[in-house]
Amino acid sequence: MQTAMEEVIERSVIANRLDTIAKEMSYALEKSSRSPIFAEACDFACGICNSRGELVSQINGIPILAAAGTFSVQEVIAKYHEQIQEGDVFIINDPYQGGNHLPDIGIITPLIVKGEVLFYCVSRAHHGDIGGSVAGSYNAKATEIFQEGLRIPPIKLMSKGQMINEVMDLITRNVRNPQMLQNDLWSQIGANNIGIARLQELLQQYSATGIKKTLAYLLEHGEKMARLAIKALPDGEYSGEEWVDDDGFQTHPIKIKVTVKVRNEEMTLDFSGTDSQVKGFVNSAVVTSTSAAWIGALWALGPDIPRNSGAFRAIKVYLPKGSLVNPEDPAPVTLSTLTPASEIISAIFQALDSAAAERLPAGFGRYCGPSFYGLDPRNQEFYVGFAFCALGSGGGISGRDGYPYMAPLSNYGGVRAPNIEANEIQYPHLTLCHEIVMDSAGAGKWRGGPGVCYSLEFYGNPTNIVMFGDGMKIPPFGAHSGRPGSLNHSKLTRAGEAALLLGSKEDARSLPPGSVLTMISSGGGGWGDPYQREAEKVWRDVRDGYISVARAREDYGVALKNDGVDQEKTQKLRSQALGQPQIGKINGT
């Protein structure tokens, strides 16, 4: 019989082992994959679910992918139930049946002991191409999901340890780079196998009964922590709105509205009032919308709450059918994991700002850049790439400036920016510029992160680009008197032609060799009154090239001289702006 202390220690060891196993799965996936999207950008997430498909452990990875893992497993369970056998592996990507969007393919591997499923290992990853009418699968002019790529319902990819070749052949026959996709699927299968092997080792040390008790405890603990955090908020209803620029067809903004209802220990996120689904690919199906809602709510509730299915139990999500956040099949949805997932999170932040202000940042930049594809003149092989180096920046938060180069919110720094030199080896382009953009950060007591200028020159065979993203009309919001961040914008320069401004959602365009594409990404919004920022911090920002001397004076009321802050002029500027003496306010005290 275990003592209470021994039981606590065992639970702690098992919980940490599960987290370590999920991390090892991710390392295996990163190191064994072939595509730059996996190996360089790490656009994936790994997790472990219990026998009911409830998420018990996940690595940070890409938040919008990690939280969604439970849906995919539960779809597999619902379809196969008593037919799941040892050695089976399942594959899924359909957004209307447990998936995020078509490029994100989930691989699910059960662990069966004495005829009973104890665990499911899950890897979800973004593949470079999944078919459809545009290479890279971001079809800005798609009007239905069939134009976006191959839909894969939950089906077996392997049975009793053997590959079902007909399924693999069907999938690879419908993509433009079949060998790379097949290799990356093997990497996902291999990562899951690592997870299964480590879980089997865990079962050699602890009984299945003890492990199941620990899993139940971890979920109950997650739920308890979430409910305690909700109870600490004042009961009431909190409303917030965020807007998507457009859908590539209509030109007016699209509203996302959320009402957060806090009642004792339960939170409901009600998206009634959100605009109807649209023609273009910014619709978001239930899995992505729910995952984004959980991310936003848990962020507001605090970092100590486990990100597992237990915590999710305390957060109810209502998504009106036929709306932007719950469209009717077969509406297109490919952009959804970027926009509007990030805007769903942002709307929740703005709703809960009065209740959890110290934990919530100002607005983040939105992703906006191209996919590019064609034949590489160096080897005549087909390639598909993405502008991961054009990331925007985060918003300021109480006590800290916004992190640069980590937007959008739905990824929260999970996508890595590839190495420039490696990128030039992988794709036929040269990087002409990759640098911070002055005066792009939203001003605030805690400023936003600055945006980035990223410029590419394409060479060799004609290159095709498809622009996808948002944030060219609506900037990242400022919070608590902070200023908004900057907008995204992009321009294309071709030999002998004037520069052409590009939209955020454009159809495929062929570029002749020598074309130069320049992207300016958003800076994040500022948090707090800029006149409360320490003058010495403003001086350092000027010295580091983040803001100009003129904007230091205009936005922050800070006058500078060659060697630092002009204290007397700064005092005068800030006093005049506030209409009262500001002794002690120069350094934000």
Side-chain angles (χ1 to χ4, degrees), residues 37 235 439:
I37 300 173
D235 279 2
D439 291 337

Side-chain angles (χ1 to χ4, degrees), residues 492-510:
L492 175 63
T493 306
R494 291 178 284 203
E497 298 182 16
L500 174 66
L501 293 179
L502 299 178
S504 61
K505 304 167 185 72
E506 292 200 355
D507 207 352
R509 181 191 303 267
S510 181

